[in-house]
């Protein structure tokens, strides 16, 4: 029997919510798998020329993580139909991991909870924000309660849509994380804490003024700007075109704008 799952692209951070906020976008990778004698992996669409198709493939690794968890010893034939651009800050890696865990769960009959899938995905990804939005959808807030990663889905108030200014260049997240300092000035931390609160409240309440004030960050964007020379110009272009605010999508280099819109609008340009 072939199992099929669909996982959304995600935008992490949203400015001041570094490693904590995530937003699911209406752009999806589709993963299929069926039991087989030996592992085989096909990748079609985005990343088909760069993604690995051996045992290092992220979908297959995540499937094996579930198999190990429940003591299932099978292999699988896996097919990835990718629409999420790779390495641009739209959660392609998180989608592969979450898709693999869900397929692994289905093939092994493991019946893991979404919370457990989120925990495993965080372990594999190394940070929780993209995988939270990929697992739970909508707008998600993450934290660590001491025993592991936790996430809460917030239903966005109506009236916002994401606009993505997709970068042609890829920027590995590991490289973008290395650009960050060990510590930040206390004033910048306080500034970003206030903005993060405003942003979450604004999204939950559908308040454009709060979202606009909240989409400003001093924790990571200033340090990543030197890796992304066109970040400031792209942000300005989105704001000039009427965006409520614009921030790096995840670790970049893509820039995400939030615009006032009715309905479920998603634009990629
Ligand atoms: N929070 C992560 C980072 C997201 O900014 O490094 C990476 O997609």
């Amino acid at each position: 029997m072939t199992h099929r799952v669909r996982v959304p692209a995600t935008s992490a951070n949203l400015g001041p919510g570094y490693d904590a906020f995530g937003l699911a976008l209406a752009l999806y990778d589709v993963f299929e798998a069926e039991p087989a004698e030996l592992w085989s992996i096909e990748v079609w669409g985005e990343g088909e020329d760069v993604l690995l198709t051996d045992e290092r493939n992220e979908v297959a690794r995540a499937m094996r993580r579930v198999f190990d968890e429940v003591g299932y010893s099978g292999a699988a034939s896996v097919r990835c139909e990718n629409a999420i651009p790779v390495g641009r800050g739209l959660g392609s890696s998180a989608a592969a991991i979450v898709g693999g865990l869900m397929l692994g769960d289905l093939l092994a009959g493991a019946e893991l909870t979404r919370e457990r899938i989120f925990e495993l995905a965080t372990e594999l990804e190394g940070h929780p924000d993209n995988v939270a939005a990929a697992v739970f959808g909508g707008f998600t807030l993450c934290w660590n309660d001491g025993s592991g990663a936790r996430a809460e889905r917030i239903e966005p108030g109506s009236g916002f849509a994401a606009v993505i200014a997709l970068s042609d260049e890829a920027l590995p997240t590991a490289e973008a994380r290395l650009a960050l300092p060990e510590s930040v000035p206390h004033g910048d931390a306080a500034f970003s804490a206030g903005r993060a609160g405003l942003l979450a409240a604004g999204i939950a309440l559908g308040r454009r003024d709060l979202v606009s004030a909240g989409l400003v960050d001093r924790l990571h964007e200033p340090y990543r700007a030197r890796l992304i020379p066109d970040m400031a110009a792209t942000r300005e272009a989105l704001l000039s075109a009427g965006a409520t605010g614009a921030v790096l999508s995840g670790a970049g280099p893509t820039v995400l704008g939030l615009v006032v819109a009715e309905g479920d609008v998603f634009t990629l340009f």
Side-chain angles (χ1 to χ4, degrees):
M1 176 184 179
T2 302
H3 297 277
R4 185 170 187 265
V5 300
R6 189 178 80 145
V7 188
T10 48
S11 186
N13 300 329
L14 299 172
Y18 175 74
D19 272 0
F21 291 180
L23 187 67
L25 304 172
L27 176 71
Y28 303 91
D29 282 351
V30 176
F31 307 107
E32 289 180 355
E34 57 189 23
E37 294 284 309
L38 296 170
W39 283 96
S40 69
I41 296 137
E42 286 176 40
V43 177
W44 299 94
E46 293 290 337
E48 64 183 16
D49 47 347
V50 292
L51 293 172
L52 301 167
T53 53
D54 58 19
E55 70 281 359
R56 294 168 293 173
N57 176 276
E58 281 182 311
V59 179
R61 283 182 54 222
M63 290 179 72
R64 284 200 306 274
R65 179 66 185 82
V66 175
F67 291 178
D68 291 346
E69 169 117 338
V70 298
Y72 178 85
S73 58
S77 170
V78 181
R79 181 181 169 91
C80 311
E81 292 275 358
N82 291 347
I84 306 173
V86 172
R88 319 283 182 83
L90 292 173
S92 60
S93 160
I97 288 168
V98 170
L101 291 170
M102 294 175 79
L103 282 178
D105 181 64
L106 290 165
L107 259 75
E111 299 190 358
L112 300 179
T113 62
R114 287 219 166 199
E115 286 71 22
R116 182 64 186 141
I117 285 178
F118 165 62
E119 280 179 350
L120 292 174
T122 301
E123 174 191 304
L124 291 171
E125 176 78 332
H127 49 88
D129 42 1
N130 290 100
V131 295
V135 170
F136 298 108
F139 172 56
T140 44
L141 311 181
C142 298
W143 71 100
N144 190 307
D145 70 0
S147 61
R150 301 285 171 258
E152 183 71 23
R153 173 181 167 142
I154 307 276
E155 286 311 319
S158 62
F160 291 108
V163 176
I164 299 296
L166 181 66
S167 173
D168 289 338
E169 309 282 330
L171 173 60
T173 297
E175 189 183 328
R177 290 178 86 84
L178 280 176
L180 304 182
E182 283 288 310
S183 58
V184 296
H186 201 272
D188 287 350
F191 175 97
S192 293
R195 301 303 173 116
L198 279 175
L199 178 60
I203 291 179
L205 298 171
R207 285 265 307 269
R208 179 184 178 160
D209 55 333
L210 301 187
V211 169
S212 178
L215 283 171
V216 189
D217 163 69
R218 289 193 191 161
L219 289 185
H220 71 106
E221 289 189 2
Y223 305 102
R224 288 170 163 171
R226 75 181 83 106
L227 301 175
I228 308 167
D230 59 1
M231 180 176 96
T234 307
R235 189 202 309 274
E236 281 312 312
L238 284 167
L239 294 175
S240 300
T244 295
V247 289
L248 270 191
S249 182
T254 287
V255 177
L256 167 119
L258 288 185
V259 299
V260 174
E262 294 306 321
D264 184 16
V265 182
F266 172 81
T267 309
L268 188 73
F269 71 89

